[in-house]
Coordinates of all heavy atoms in Angstrom, one line a residue:
E269 N -15.0 -3.3 -29.6 CA -16.1 -2.7 -28.8 C -15.6 -2.4 -27.4 O -15.8 -1.4 -26.8 CB -17.3 -3.7 -28.8 CG -18.1 -3.7 -30.1 CD -19.1 -4.8 -30.1 OE1 -19.2 -5.6 -29.1 OE2 -19.9 -4.9 -31.0
R270 N -14.8 -3.4 -26.8 CA -14.3 -3.2 -25.5 C -13.3 -2.1 -25.4 O -13.1 -1.5 -24.3 CB -13.8 -4.5 -24.9 CG -14.8 -5.5 -24.7 CD -14.3 -6.8 -24.2 NE -15.3 -7.9 -24.3 CZ -15.1 -9.1 -23.9 NH1 -13.9 -9.5 -23.3 NH2 -16.0 -10.1 -24.1
L271 N -12.6 -1.8 -26.5 CA -11.5 -0.8 -26.5 C -12.1 0.5 -27.0 O -11.4 1.5 -27.2 CB -10.4 -1.2 -27.4 CG -9.6 -2.5 -26.9 CD1 -8.5 -2.8 -27.9 CD2 -9.0 -2.2 -25.5
G272 N -13.4 0.6 -27.2 CA -14.0 1.9 -27.6 C -13.8 2.3 -29.0 O -14.2 3.4 -29.4
M273 N -13.3 1.4 -29.9 CA -13.0 1.7 -31.3 C -14.3 1.9 -32.1 O -14.4 2.7 -32.9 CB -12.1 0.6 -31.9 CG -10.7 0.5 -31.3 SD -9.8 -0.8 -32.1 CE -8.2 -0.7 -31.4
T274 N -15.3 1.0 -31.8 CA -16.5 1.0 -32.6 C -17.3 2.3 -32.3 O -18.2 2.7 -33.2 CB -17.4 -0.2 -32.3 OG1 -17.6 -0.4 -30.9 CG2 -16.7 -1.5 -32.9
K275 N -17.1 3.0 -31.2 CA -17.8 4.2 -30.9 C -17.3 5.3 -31.9 O -18.0 6.2 -32.3 CB -17.6 4.7 -29.5 CG -18.3 3.8 -28.5 CD -18.0 4.3 -27.1 CE -18.7 3.5 -26.0 NZ -18.4 4.0 -24.6
I276 N -16.0 5.2 -32.3 CA -15.4 6.2 -33.2 C -15.7 5.8 -34.6 O -16.0 6.7 -35.5 CB -13.9 6.3 -32.9 CG1 -13.6 6.7 -31.5 CG2 -13.2 7.2 -33.9 CD1 -12.2 6.6 -31.0
N277 N -15.6 4.5 -34.9 CA -15.9 4.1 -36.3 C -16.5 2.7 -36.2 O -15.9 1.7 -36.0 CB -14.6 4.0 -37.1 CG -14.9 3.5 -38.5 OD1 -16.0 3.2 -38.9 ND2 -13.8 3.4 -39.3
P278 N -17.9 2.6 -36.4 CA -18.6 1.3 -36.4 C -18.0 0.3 -37.3 O -18.2 -0.9 -37.2 CB -20.0 1.7 -36.7 CG -20.1 3.1 -36.4 CD -18.8 3.7 -36.7
E279 N -17.4 0.7 -38.4 CA -16.8 -0.2 -39.4 C -15.4 -0.5 -39.3 O -14.7 -1.0 -40.2 CB -17.1 0.5 -40.8 CG -18.5 0.7 -41.2 CD -19.2 -0.7 -41.4 OE1 -18.6 -1.6 -41.9 OE2 -20.4 -0.8 -41.1
V280 N -14.8 -0.2 -38.1 CA -13.4 -0.4 -37.9 C -13.0 -1.9 -38.1 O -11.9 -2.2 -38.5 CB -12.9 0.1 -36.5 CG1 -13.5 -0.7 -35.4 CG2 -11.4 0.2 -36.4
V281 N -13.9 -2.8 -37.7 CA -13.7 -4.2 -38.0 C -14.8 -4.6 -38.9 O -16.0 -4.4 -38.7 CB -13.7 -5.0 -36.7 CG1 -13.7 -6.5 -37.0 CG2 -12.6 -4.6 -35.8
S282 N -14.4 -5.3 -40.0 CA -15.4 -5.6 -41.1 C -15.0 -6.9 -41.8 O -13.9 -7.4 -41.7 CB -15.5 -4.4 -42.0 OG -16.5 -4.7 -43.0
K283 N -16.0 -7.4 -42.6 CA -15.7 -8.5 -43.5 C -15.2 -7.9 -44.8 O -15.6 -6.8 -45.2 CB -17.0 -9.3 -43.8 CG -17.5 -10.1 -42.6 CD -16.7 -11.3 -42.3 CE -17.4 -12.2 -41.4 NZ -18.6 -12.9 -41.9
P284 N -14.3 -8.6 -45.5 CA -13.8 -8.0 -46.8 C -14.8 -7.6 -47.8 O -14.7 -6.6 -48.4 CB -12.9 -9.2 -47.3 CG -12.5 -9.9 -46.0 CD -13.7 -9.8 -45.1
T285 N -15.8 -8.5 -48.0 CA -16.8 -8.2 -49.0 C -17.6 -6.9 -48.7 O -17.8 -6.0 -49.5 CB -17.8 -9.3 -49.2 OG1 -17.1 -10.5 -49.6 CG2 -18.9 -9.0 -50.2
R286 N -17.9 -6.7 -47.4 CA -18.6 -5.5 -47.0 C -17.7 -4.3 -47.2 O -18.2 -3.2 -47.7 CB -19.1 -5.5 -45.5 CG -19.7 -4.3 -45.1 CD -20.4 -4.4 -43.7 NE -20.9 -3.1 -43.3 CZ -22.0 -2.6 -43.7 NH1 -22.8 -3.2 -44.6 NH2 -22.4 -1.4 -43.2
F287 N -16.5 -4.4 -46.9 CA -15.5 -3.3 -47.1 C -15.5 -2.9 -48.6 O -15.5 -1.7 -49.0 CB -14.1 -3.7 -46.6 CG -13.1 -2.7 -46.9 CD1 -12.9 -1.6 -46.1 CD2 -12.2 -2.8 -48.0 CE1 -11.9 -0.6 -46.3 CE2 -11.3 -1.8 -48.3 CZ -11.1 -0.8 -47.5
I288 N -15.4 -3.9 -49.5 CA -15.3 -3.7 -50.9 C -16.5 -3.0 -51.4 O -16.5 -2.1 -52.3 CB -15.0 -5.0 -51.6 CG1 -13.6 -5.5 -51.3 CG2 -15.2 -4.8 -53.2 CD1 -13.3 -6.9 -51.7
R289 N -17.7 -3.4 -50.9 CA -19.0 -2.8 -51.3 C -19.2 -1.4 -50.8 O -20.0 -0.7 -51.4 CB -20.1 -3.8 -50.9 CG -20.1 -5.1 -51.7 CD -21.1 -6.1 -51.1 NE -22.5 -5.7 -51.4 CZ -23.5 -6.3 -51.0 NH1 -23.4 -7.4 -50.3 NH2 -24.7 -5.9 -51.2
T290 N -18.6 -1.1 -49.7 CA -19.0 0.2 -49.1 C -17.9 1.3 -49.2 O -18.2 2.5 -48.9 CB -19.3 0.0 -47.6 OG1 -18.2 -0.6 -46.9 CG2 -20.5 -0.9 -47.4
V291 N -16.7 0.9 -49.6 CA -15.6 1.9 -49.7 C -15.4 2.2 -51.2 O -15.2 1.2 -52.0 CB -14.3 1.4 -49.0 CG1 -13.2 2.4 -49.2 CG2 -14.6 1.3 -47.5
S292 N -15.3 3.5 -51.6 CA -15.1 3.8 -52.9 C -13.6 3.8 -53.3 O -12.7 4.2 -52.5 CB -15.7 5.2 -53.2 OG -15.2 5.8 -54.4
E293 N -13.3 3.4 -54.5 CA -11.9 3.5 -55.0 C -11.4 4.9 -55.0 O -10.2 5.2 -54.9 CB -11.8 2.8 -56.4 CG -12.0 1.3 -56.4 CD -11.8 0.7 -57.8 OE1 -10.9 1.2 -58.5 OE2 -12.5 -0.2 -58.1
S294 N -12.3 5.9 -55.2 CA -11.9 7.3 -55.4 C -11.6 7.9 -54.0 O -11.0 9.0 -53.9 CB -13.0 8.1 -56.0 OG -14.2 8.1 -55.3
E295 N -12.0 7.3 -52.9 CA -11.7 7.8 -51.6 C -11.1 6.6 -50.7 O -11.8 6.1 -49.8 CB -13.0 8.3 -50.9 CG -13.5 9.5 -51.7 CD -14.8 10.1 -51.0 OE1 -15.1 9.6 -49.9 OE2 -15.4 11.0 -51.6
P296 N -9.9 6.2 -51.0 CA -9.3 5.1 -50.3 C -9.1 5.4 -48.8 O -8.8 6.6 -48.4 CB -8.0 4.8 -51.0 CG -7.7 6.2 -51.6 CD -9.0 6.8 -52.0
V297 N -9.2 4.4 -47.9 CA -8.9 4.6 -46.5 C -7.4 4.6 -46.3 O -6.7 4.2 -47.2 CB -9.6 3.5 -45.6 CG1 -11.1 3.5 -45.9 CG2 -9.0 2.2 -45.9
D298 N -7.0 5.0 -45.1 CA -5.5 5.2 -44.9 C -4.8 3.8 -44.8 O -3.9 3.5 -45.6 CB -5.3 6.0 -43.6 CG -5.7 7.4 -43.8 OD1 -5.4 8.0 -44.8 OD2 -6.3 8.0 -42.8
I299 N -5.3 3.0 -43.9 CA -4.6 1.7 -43.6 C -5.6 0.6 -43.4 O -6.6 0.7 -42.7 CB -3.7 1.8 -42.4 CG1 -2.7 2.9 -42.5 CG2 -3.0 0.4 -42.1 CD1 -2.0 3.2 -41.1
V300 N -5.4 -0.5 -44.1 CA -6.2 -1.7 -43.9 C -5.3 -2.9 -43.5 O -4.3 -3.1 -44.1 CB -6.9 -2.1 -45.2 CG1 -7.6 -3.5 -45.1 CG2 -8.0 -1.1 -45.7
L301 N -5.7 -3.5 -42.4 CA -5.0 -4.7 -41.9 C -5.9 -5.9 -42.2 O -7.1 -5.8 -41.9 CB -4.7 -4.6 -40.4 CG -4.0 -3.3 -39.9 CD1 -3.9 -3.3 -38.4 CD2 -2.7 -3.1 -40.6
I302 N -5.3 -7.0 -42.7 CA -6.0 -8.2 -43.0 C -5.4 -9.3 -42.2 O -4.3 -9.7 -42.4 CB -6.0 -8.5 -44.5 CG1 -6.5 -7.3 -45.3 CG2 -7.0 -9.7 -44.8 CD1 -6.3 -7.5 -46.8
D303 N -6.2 -9.9 -41.3 CA -5.8 -11.2 -40.7 C -6.3 -12.4 -41.5 O -7.3 -12.3 -42.1 CB -6.3 -11.2 -39.2 CG -5.5 -12.2 -38.4 OD1 -4.5 -12.7 -38.9 OD2 -5.9 -12.4 -37.2
E304 N -5.5 -13.4 -41.4 CA -5.8 -14.6 -42.2 C -6.1 -14.3 -43.7 O -7.1 -14.7 -44.2 CB -7.0 -15.3 -41.6 CG -6.9 -15.6 -40.1 CD -6.1 -16.9 -39.8 OE1 -5.8 -17.7 -40.7 OE2 -5.7 -17.0 -38.6
A305 N -5.2 -13.5 -44.3 CA -5.4 -13.1 -45.6 C -5.4 -14.3 -46.6 O -5.9 -14.1 -47.7 CB -4.3 -12.1 -46.1
H306 N -5.0 -15.4 -46.2 CA -5.1 -16.6 -47.1 C -6.5 -17.1 -47.2 O -6.8 -18.0 -48.0 CB -4.2 -17.8 -46.5 CG -4.3 -17.9 -45.0 ND1 -3.4 -17.2 -44.1 CD2 -5.1 -18.6 -44.2 CE1 -3.8 -17.5 -42.9 NE2 -4.8 -18.4 -42.9
L307 N -7.4 -16.5 -46.4 CA -8.8 -16.9 -46.5 C -9.6 -15.9 -47.4 O -10.8 -16.1 -47.6 CB -9.5 -16.8 -45.1 CG -8.9 -17.8 -44.0 CD1 -9.7 -17.7 -42.7 CD2 -8.9 -19.2 -44.5
L308 N -8.9 -15.0 -48.0 CA -9.6 -14.1 -49.0 C -9.9 -14.9 -50.2 O -9.1 -15.8 -50.6 CB -8.7 -12.9 -49.3 CG -8.4 -11.9 -48.2 CD1 -7.4 -10.9 -48.7 CD2 -9.7 -11.2 -47.8
W309 N -11.0 -14.6 -50.8 CA -11.4 -15.3 -52.0 C -10.7 -14.8 -53.2 O -10.5 -13.6 -53.5 CB -12.9 -15.1 -52.3 CG -13.7 -15.7 -51.1 CD1 -13.4 -16.8 -50.4 CD2 -15.0 -15.2 -50.6 NE1 -14.4 -17.1 -49.5 CE2 -15.4 -16.1 -49.6 CE3 -15.8 -14.2 -50.9 CZ2 -16.5 -15.9 -48.8 CZ3 -17.0 -14.0 -50.2 CH2 -17.3 -14.9 -49.2
T310 N -10.2 -15.7 -54.1 CA -9.5 -15.4 -55.3 C -10.3 -15.7 -56.5 O -9.9 -15.7 -57.6 CB -8.2 -16.2 -55.4 OG1 -8.4 -17.6 -55.3 CG2 -7.2 -15.8 -54.3
E311 N -11.6 -15.9 -56.3 CA -12.6 -16.0 -57.4 C -14.0 -15.7 -56.8 O -14.2 -15.7 -55.6 CB -12.6 -17.4 -58.0 CG -13.1 -18.5 -57.1 CD -13.1 -19.9 -57.8 OE1 -12.4 -20.1 -58.8 OE2 -13.9 -20.7 -57.3
G312 N -14.9 -15.3 -57.6 CA -16.2 -14.9 -57.2 C -16.9 -15.9 -56.4 O -16.9 -17.1 -56.7
K313 N -17.6 -15.5 -55.3 CA -18.3 -16.5 -54.5 C -19.4 -15.7 -53.7 O -19.2 -14.7 -53.1 CB -17.4 -17.1 -53.5 CG -18.1 -18.1 -52.5 CD -17.1 -18.6 -51.5 CE -17.9 -19.5 -50.5 NZ -17.1 -20.0 -49.4
Q314 N -20.6 -16.2 -53.7 CA -21.8 -15.7 -53.0 C -21.9 -14.2 -53.2 O -22.1 -13.7 -54.3 CB -21.6 -16.0 -51.5 CG -21.7 -17.5 -51.3 CD -21.4 -17.9 -49.8 OE1 -21.0 -17.1 -49.0 NE2 -21.5 -19.2 -49.5
A315 N -21.8 -13.4 -52.1 CA -22.0 -11.9 -52.3 C -20.9 -11.2 -53.0 O -21.0 -10.1 -53.5 CB -22.2 -11.3 -50.9
Y316 N -19.7 -11.9 -53.0 CA -18.6 -11.3 -53.7 C -18.5 -11.8 -55.2 O -18.4 -13.0 -55.4 CB -17.3 -11.6 -53.0 CG -16.0 -11.1 -53.7 CD1 -15.8 -9.8 -53.9 CD2 -15.1 -12.0 -54.3 CE1 -14.7 -9.3 -54.5 CE2 -14.0 -11.6 -55.0 CZ -13.8 -10.2 -55.1 OH -12.7 -9.8 -55.8
Q317 N -18.6 -10.8 -56.1 CA -18.6 -11.2 -57.5 C -17.3 -10.8 -58.3 O -17.3 -10.9 -59.5 CB -19.8 -10.6 -58.2 CG -21.2 -11.1 -57.6 CD -21.3 -12.6 -57.7 OE1 -21.1 -13.2 -58.8 NE2 -21.7 -13.2 -56.6
G318 N -16.3 -10.3 -57.5 CA -15.1 -10.0 -58.2 C -14.2 -11.1 -58.5 O -14.6 -12.3 -58.4
K319 N -12.9 -10.9 -58.8 CA -12.0 -11.9 -59.2 C -10.9 -12.2 -58.1 O -10.4 -13.2 -58.0 CB -11.3 -11.6 -60.5 CG -12.2 -11.6 -61.7 CD -11.5 -11.3 -63.0 CE -12.4 -11.4 -64.2 NZ -11.6 -11.2 -65.5
N320 N -10.7 -11.1 -57.3 CA -9.6 -11.3 -56.2 C -9.9 -10.3 -55.1 O -9.7 -9.1 -55.4 CB -8.2 -11.2 -56.8 CG -7.1 -11.5 -55.9 OD1 -7.0 -10.9 -54.8 ND2 -6.3 -12.5 -56.2
Q321 N -10.2 -10.7 -53.9 CA -10.6 -9.8 -52.9 C -9.4 -8.9 -52.5 O -9.5 -7.7 -52.2 CB -11.1 -10.5 -51.6 CG -12.5 -11.0 -51.8 CD -13.0 -11.6 -50.5 OE1 -12.4 -12.4 -49.9 NE2 -14.2 -11.3 -50.1
L322 N -8.2 -9.5 -52.4 CA -7.0 -8.7 -52.0 C -6.8 -7.5 -52.9 O -6.5 -6.4 -52.5 CB -5.8 -9.6 -51.9 CG -4.5 -8.9 -51.5 CD1 -4.6 -8.2 -50.2 CD2 -3.3 -9.9 -51.5
Y323 N -6.8 -7.8 -54.3 CA -6.6 -6.7 -55.2 C -7.7 -5.7 -55.2 O -7.5 -4.5 -55.3 CB -6.4 -7.3 -56.6 CG -5.1 -8.0 -56.8 CD1 -5.1 -9.4 -57.1 CD2 -3.9 -7.4 -56.7 CE1 -3.9 -10.1 -57.3 CE2 -2.7 -8.1 -56.8 CZ -2.7 -9.4 -57.1 OH -1.6 -10.1 -57.3
D324 N -8.9 -6.1 -54.9 CA -10.0 -5.1 -54.8 C -9.9 -4.3 -53.5 O -10.3 -3.1 -53.5 CB -11.4 -5.9 -54.8 CG -11.8 -6.3 -56.1 OD1 -11.2 -5.8 -57.1 OD2 -12.6 -7.2 -56.3
I325 N -9.3 -4.9 -52.4 CA -9.1 -4.1 -51.2 C -7.9 -3.1 -51.4 O -8.0 -2.0 -51.0 CB -8.7 -5.1 -50.0 CG1 -10.0 -5.9 -49.7 CG2 -8.2 -4.3 -48.8 CD1 -9.7 -7.1 -48.8
L326 N -6.9 -3.6 -52.1 CA -5.8 -2.7 -52.4 C -6.2 -1.4 -53.2 O -5.7 -0.3 -53.0 CB -4.7 -3.4 -53.3 CG -3.6 -4.1 -52.5 CD1 -2.8 -5.0 -53.5 CD2 -2.7 -3.1 -51.8
K327 N -7.2 -1.5 -54.1 CA -7.7 -0.4 -54.8 C -8.4 0.6 -53.9 O -8.5 1.8 -54.3 CB -8.7 -0.9 -55.9 CG -8.1 -1.7 -57.0 CD -9.2 -2.2 -57.9 CE -8.7 -3.2 -58.9 NZ -9.8 -3.8 -59.7
R328 N -8.8 0.2 -52.7 CA -9.6 1.0 -51.8 C -8.8 1.4 -50.6 O -9.4 1.9 -49.6 CB -10.9 0.3 -51.4 CG -11.8 0.1 -52.6 CD -12.8 -1.0 -52.3 NE -13.8 -1.1 -53.3 CZ -13.6 -1.7 -54.5 NH1 -12.5 -2.3 -54.8 NH2 -14.6 -1.7 -55.4
A329 N -7.5 1.3 -50.6 CA -6.6 1.6 -49.4 C -5.3 2.2 -49.9 O -4.8 1.9 -51.0 CB -6.4 0.4 -48.6
K330 N -4.8 3.1 -49.0 CA -3.4 3.6 -49.3 C -2.4 2.5 -49.0 O -1.4 2.4 -49.7 CB -3.2 4.9 -48.5 CG -4.1 6.0 -48.8 CD -3.8 7.2 -47.9 CE -4.8 8.4 -48.3 NZ -4.6 9.5 -47.3
I331 N -2.6 1.9 -47.9 CA -1.7 0.8 -47.5 C -2.5 -0.4 -47.0 O -3.4 -0.2 -46.2 CB -0.7 1.3 -46.4 CG1 0.2 2.4 -46.9 CG2 0.1 0.1 -45.8 CD1 1.0 3.0 -45.8
V332 N -2.1 -1.6 -47.4 CA -2.7 -2.8 -46.9 C -1.6 -3.7 -46.2 O -0.5 -3.9 -46.8 CB -3.3 -3.6 -48.0 CG1 -3.7 -5.0 -47.5 CG2 -4.5 -2.9 -48.6
V333 N -1.8 -4.1 -45.0 CA -0.9 -5.0 -44.3 C -1.6 -6.3 -44.2 O -2.6 -6.5 -43.6 CB -0.5 -4.5 -42.9 CG1 0.4 -5.5 -42.2 CG2 0.1 -3.1 -42.9
A334 N -1.1 -7.3 -45.0 CA -1.8 -8.6 -45.1 C -1.0 -9.7 -44.4 O 0.2 -9.9 -44.7 CB -2.1 -9.0 -46.5
V335 N -1.6 -10.4 -43.4 CA -1.0 -11.5 -42.8 C -1.4 -12.8 -43.5 O -2.6 -13.1 -43.7 CB -1.4 -11.6 -41.3 CG1 -1.0 -12.9 -40.6 CG2 -0.8 -10.4 -40.5
F336 N -0.4 -13.6 -43.9 CA -0.7 -14.6 -44.9 C 0.1 -15.9 -44.6 O 1.2 -15.9 -44.1 CB -0.2 -14.1 -46.3 CG -0.6 -14.9 -47.4 CD1 -1.8 -14.8 -48.0 CD2 0.3 -15.8 -48.0 CE1 -2.2 -15.6 -49.1 CE2 0.0 -16.6 -49.1 CZ -1.2 -16.5 -49.7
D337 N -0.6 -17.1 -44.8 CA 0.1 -18.4 -44.7 C -0.5 -19.3 -45.8 O -1.6 -19.8 -45.6 CB -0.1 -19.0 -43.3 CG 0.6 -20.3 -43.1 OD1 1.3 -20.8 -44.1 OD2 0.4 -21.0 -42.1
K338 N 0.3 -19.5 -46.8 CA -0.3 -20.2 -47.9 C -0.5 -21.7 -47.6 O -1.3 -22.4 -48.2 CB 0.7 -20.2 -49.1 CG 2.1 -20.7 -48.9 CD 2.9 -20.6 -50.2 CE 4.3 -21.2 -50.0 NZ 5.1 -20.5 -49.0
N339 N 0.0 -22.1 -46.4 CA -0.2 -23.5 -46.0 C -1.4 -23.7 -45.1 O -1.7 -24.7 -44.6 CB 1.0 -24.0 -45.2 CG 2.3 -24.1 -46.1 OD1 2.2 -24.5 -47.2 ND2 3.4 -23.8 -45.5
Q340 N -2.2 -22.6 -45.0 CA -3.5 -22.7 -44.4 C -4.7 -22.4 -45.3 O -5.8 -22.2 -44.9 CB -3.6 -21.7 -43.2 CG -2.7 -22.1 -42.0 CD -3.0 -21.4 -40.7 OE1 -4.1 -21.5 -40.2 NE2 -2.0 -20.6 -40.3

Side-chain angles (χ1 to χ4, degrees):
E269 288 170 356
R270 292 183 195 179
L271 296 176
M273 295 178 176
T274 52
K275 291 181 180 178
I276 298 168
N277 180 2
E279 296 290 327
V280 67
V281 175
S282 181
K283 293 284 192 70
T285 296
R286 178 171 175 79
F287 175 84
I288 292 166
R289 292 172 65 181
T290 57
V291 175
S292 168
E293 291 183 34
S294 61
E295 297 181 8
V297 304
D298 292 319
I299 304 168
V300 172
L301 309 177
I302 309 173
D303 199 6
E304 307 280 347
H306 42 271
L307 300 182
L308 292 176
W309 296 327
T310 56
E311 63 178 24
K313 177 185 175 181
Q314 297 174 354
Y316 175 67
Q317 297 302 312
K319 293 185 177 180
N320 187 301
Q321 283 186 315
L322 178 56
Y323 289 117
D324 284 342
I325 293 166
L326 269 170
K327 293 174 186 176
R328 293 161 174 81
K330 295 177 183 177
I331 296 173
V332 172
V333 181
V335 170
F336 188 83
D337 179 5
K338 62 181 183 296
N339 294 323
Q340 290 195 65

